Amino acid sequence: MLKRKIAVVITARPSYSRVKTVLTAIKKHPQLELQLVVAASALLDRYGSAVNYIEKDGFEIAARVFNVLEGENLTAAAKTTGIGILELSTVFDNLKPDVVVTVADRFETMATAISAAYMNIPLAHIQGGEVTGNIDEKVRHSITKLADYHFVASESAKERVLKLGENKEMVFNTGCPSIDLAGEVSHSQALSFDPYFKYGGVGAKPDLSNGYLVVMQHPVTTEYKDSRKHIEATLNAIHKLNQPTLWFWPNVDAGADGTSTGIRAFRELTKLENVHFFKNMEGDDFLELLVHSKCLIGNSSVGIRECAFLGVPVVNIGSRQHGRDRGTNVIDVDYSQKMIEEAILAAVAKGKAESSSIYGGGNAGEKIADLLESLPLQFHKTITY
């Protein structure tokens, strides 16, 4: 019996950690063949080249797609997606996968979905049905309508996909694969690595022995013109609090130039003796770093998903994660230095929250691999509204 060929497309550094356990489960499955395609910012060193960690973890890359257009604005995002359609169509024509898997909702994932759908290749979508306040909202629901199989991360997401008219027999609440990794590090008693030695980075090297903050803040594409102002509010708050802080570089989104420029200008004008900056980190190391942190600040979905499971306090800034299901670990604030400062102090004082399984319990990777092997191959659907 021929193995079913599964092409998984990774387009950005968060996407890899999101589906690492899925890749492992597919690779181990006796009836599946993994065809890993790495594209867009996942290949770029400027954004912490995820491809280095992918290869280090022993995954063979079937194809690489360089399609990111410089500019980090709305026009560049649209053109990057267009180039992705052109390039991925060729990749799929060469690989001839039985199923294509696309992850989450970043703008580059639209290219994966469109290419597969127009080429009559069954499309599986991981993490559909959620709600946020970003261009991701439109992308996510558009991919839902293009996809044939839906592996959602929560019950509310499942209900939303069904309301979009999808066949209930093709919608599965598998949980989020990133929770699988969170489960592996949740019992860590102490930080098992030196982040400065292992990952380099730039800036001061504050003592982490008495606790530290973690910041990961991305631009919001619908508010990209304000990205510098948004990041300056967070920079001023972190500077004022003067606590050891590990800060991660933003994603390649419209407005990333404003975020990056704001960080660089602030570093030149202000002595940030309490802050160290990183481009990227292996998924399990990053989660372990969060487990032992006092608080995560910013607007990354990791604060909503993995940190809910881990019970890590989160100060979520602005509208980027608006509408997502939350655990009790999250405090929502606006782009205000004072509000951010007060929320951080409150979150740190409150400490760890109760673990929430709202996004799954830690075995999503194996569930998804088993479904990819057993589901009937189909690239058309009759939907009853």
Side-chain angles (χ1 to χ4, degrees):
M1 182 178 177
L2 292 176
K3 290 186 177 182
R4 186 174 283 188
K5 295 184 288 186
I6 311 296
V8 183
V9 183
I10 305 296
T11 61
R13 68 184 186 191
S15 301
Y16 176 54
S17 59
R18 287 276 180 269
V19 294
K20 182 178 176 180
T21 61
V22 177
L23 299 179
T24 300
I26 293 172
K27 185 178 177 182
K28 290 181 177 179
H29 200 291
Q31 299 303 322
L32 298 177
E33 176 187 335
L34 175 63
Q35 296 177 321
L36 184 56
V37 180
V38 183
S41 63
L43 291 167
L44 303 182
D45 183 65
R46 182 178 179 183
Y47 300 99
S49 186
V51 72
N52 297 333
Y53 302 121
I54 292 171
E55 291 180 318
K56 181 182 176 183
D57 288 336
F59 293 109
E60 182 179 341
I61 298 172
R64 303 176 189 230
V65 176
F66 292 89
N67 64 305
V68 173
L69 194 68
E70 284 289 334
E72 294 164 325
N73 54 44
L74 300 181
T75 303
K79 291 184 176 181
T80 292
T81 303
I83 296 169
I85 296 171
L86 291 171
E87 296 296 326
L88 285 167
S89 298
T90 301
V91 168
F92 295 156
D93 188 48
N94 291 334
L95 294 178
K96 294 180 172 50
D98 294 302
V99 181
V100 167
V101 178
T102 191
V103 185
D105 46 37
R106 287 190 51 78
F107 70 90
E108 310 101 315
T109 61
M110 245 347 249
T112 305
I114 291 172
S115 297
Y118 272 95
M119 295 178 72
N120 287 346
I121 305 170
L123 177 67
H125 184 205
I126 295 175
Q127 294 181 350
E130 298 177 22
V131 178
T132 54
N134 203 3
I135 185 62
D136 299 350
E137 173 81 3
K138 293 181 177 181
V139 170
R140 188 184 312 106
H141 297 327
S142 297
I143 294 175
T144 290
K145 300 311 299 178
L146 290 168
D148 303 288
Y149 318 116
H150 311 275
F151 305 139
V152 302
S154 68
E155 275 303 307
S156 63
K158 181 178 180 178
E159 291 173 9
R160 203 167 287 114
V161 169
L162 292 173
K163 285 180 180 179
L164 287 169
E166 294 304 295
N167 182 351
K168 64 180 181 180
E169 294 182 0
M170 296 298 163
V171 184
F172 307 91
N173 181 5
T174 60
C176 181
S178 60
I179 301 301
D180 301 358
L181 290 180
E184 293 174 6
V185 304
S186 61
H187 302 296
S188 170
Q189 297 300 309
L191 201 58
S192 65
F193 65 99
D194 180 344
Y196 304 136
F197 177 78
K198 188 170 183 178
Y199 292 100
V202 297
K205 295 182 178 179
D207 181 10
L208 307 179
S209 60
N210 292 317
Y212 53 88
L213 308 175
V214 177
V215 179
M216 180 176 280
Q217 184 168 328
H218 307 298
V220 179
T221 54
T222 51
E223 305 166 4
Y224 76 101
K225 291 182 179 179
D226 295 321
S227 59
R228 179 162 180 173
K229 182 173 68 174
H230 291 168
I231 201 66
E232 285 174 347
T234 308
L235 284 161
N236 279 302
I238 293 298
H239 179 56
K240 179 77 176 295
L241 291 174
N242 195 32
Q243 295 190 31
T245 303
L246 304 178
W247 195 306
F248 288 81
W249 218 243
N251 283 337
V252 53
D253 289 323
D257 271 345
T259 303
S260 302
T261 301
I263 293 173
R264 291 190 181 100
F266 198 91
R267 286 193 314 202
E268 290 177 6
L269 296 173
T270 309
K271 287 186 177 180
L272 286 172
E273 297 179 350
N274 62 312
V275 184
H276 193 85
F277 294 86
F278 296 99
K279 281 186 179 180
N280 200 4
M281 192 171 284
E282 292 181 51
D284 49 355
D285 281 351
F286 179 61
L287 291 175
E288 186 179 320
L289 197 76
L290 290 178
V291 168
H292 299 292
S293 70
K294 292 181 177 180
C295 180
L296 171 66
I297 302 102
N299 58 9
S300 171
S301 62
V302 71
I304 307 298
R305 295 177 184 278
E306 291 93 325
C307 286
F309 182 82
L310 296 170
V312 174
V314 172
V315 173
N316 181 66
I317 304 170
S319 63
R320 196 171 192 267
Q321 302 302 331
H322 177 72
R324 283 200 198 273
D325 294 330
R326 281 154 165 68
T328 58
N329 63 311
V330 178
I331 299 175
D332 291 293
V333 297
D334 203 352
Y335 304 103
S336 158
Q337 177 185 342
K338 183 178 179 181
M339 289 179 67
I340 295 169
E341 287 178 23
E342 291 175 349
I344 292 172
L345 292 173
V348 171
K350 185 178 180 182
K352 286 290 180 78
E354 185 178 348
S355 176
S356 169
S357 59
I358 191 170
Y359 288 105
N363 59 345
E366 291 181 359
K367 284 183 180 178
I368 291 172
D370 288 339
L371 286 166
L372 288 169
E373 187 274 329
S374 63
L375 286 170
L377 295 179
Q378 62 178 49
F379 52 80
H380 58 85
K381 51 189 176 182
T382 301
I383 299 175
T384 301
Y385 292 96

